[in-house]
């Protein structure tokens, strides 16, 4: 693929507004986060989840066109850490209905803050996220409707975006790539944005993220845990 395209294949409208994006990131309570990392990380799993989220928030805030990052979480300690990095923390719904309900709740809060801003849900476990790559993805979103970016394995979704006037309608979880496509969202096919697609659920995922090059929070923890060599 030699140029940025979207799916379906009909010509895309001009890109969405380049500035002012609201990004909504969901984060479970750390004690329950990243359960599939347990066989690999053991008691360090909550620390890794917070490190991933910290690097994701920092990179997202530095991405071109991003106006604000909202983190939806019930974890007070994690919320305080991410707020210190510049995120706006939204307490999860009292009912705690699940990932998509949390994202819808965060999207509603984002629309109160910036009702005319384009909006995207972003995975909070992108420790290798590069601001420029995220900026390219956001810049490729068509001016109307919804669009999504599949994860590295090609079964899930790491980013779902909608432009003003469109509902986000998140359908994250196993197999979300197919659900978002079936729901009318356009799939973004972009080269060179692997850091936006590399979420981390397993030890193998983490190894791939480390090979890409992770942010300072994950890198520091990975060195302490022996996943990366100490710098000389």
């Amino acid at each position: 693929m030699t140029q940025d395209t979207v799916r379906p294949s009909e010509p895309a409208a001009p890109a969405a507004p380049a500035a002012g994006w609201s990004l909504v990131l969901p984060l479970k309570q750390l004690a329950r986060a990243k359960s599939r990392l347990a066989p690999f990380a053991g008691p360090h799993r909550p620390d890794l989840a917070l490190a991933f989220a910290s690097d994701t928030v920092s990179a997202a805030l530095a991405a071109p066109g991003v106006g604000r990052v909202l983190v939806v979480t019930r974890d007070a300690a994690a919320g305080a850490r991410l707020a210190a990095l510049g995120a706006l923390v939204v307490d999860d719904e009292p009912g705690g209905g699940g990932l998509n309900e949390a994202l819808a709740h965060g999207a509603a809060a984002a629309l109160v803050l910036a009702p005319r801003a384009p909006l995207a849900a972003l995975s909070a476990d992108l420790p290798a996220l590069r601001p420029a790559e995220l900026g390219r993805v956001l810049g490729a979103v068509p001016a109307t409707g919804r669009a999504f970016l599949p994860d590295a394995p090609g079964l899930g979704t790491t980013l779902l975006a909608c432009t003003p006037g469109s509902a986000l309608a998140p359908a994250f979880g196993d197999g979300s790539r197919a659900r978002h496509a079936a729901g009318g969202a356009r799939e973004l096919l972009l080269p060179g944005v692997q850091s936006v697609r590399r979420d981390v659920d397993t030890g193998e995922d983490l190894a791939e993220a480390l090979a890409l090059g992770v942010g300072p929070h994950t890198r520091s923890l990975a060195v302490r845990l022996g996943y990366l060599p100490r710098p000389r």
Side-chain angles (χ1 to χ4, degrees), residues 38-144:
F40 174 80
H44 306 295
R45 175 177 50 83
D47 297 328
L48 283 168
L50 181 55
F52 298 164
S54 298
D55 284 326
T56 304
V57 165
S58 296
L61 284 167
V66 171
R68 61 207 59 82
V69 171
L70 294 82
V71 175
V72 183
T73 186
R74 289 182 169 189
D75 195 298
R81 285 278 299 274
L82 299 174
L85 296 174
L88 304 173
V89 177
V90 178
D91 191 23
D92 202 353
E93 286 186 294
L99 172 59
N100 291 305
E101 290 78 7
L103 287 171
H105 181 60
L111 289 173
V112 170
L113 290 172
R116 297 184 180 180
L119 172 66
L122 181 69
S123 297
D125 56 352
L126 302 171
L129 184 63
R130 286 158 172 68
E133 293 185 14
L134 177 57
R136 287 190 58 231
V137 173
L138 296 175
V141 174
T144 59

Side-chain angles (χ1 to χ4, degrees), residues 5-8 10-17 21 118 137-148 161-164 166 185-188:
T5 59
V6 295
R7 187 178 288 170
E10 66 266 15
W21 279 89
V137 173
L138 296 175
V141 174
T144 59
R146 300 159 62 235
F148 71 96
C162 68
T163 50
S166 298
R186 298 188 181 203
E187 181 171 356
L188 299 170

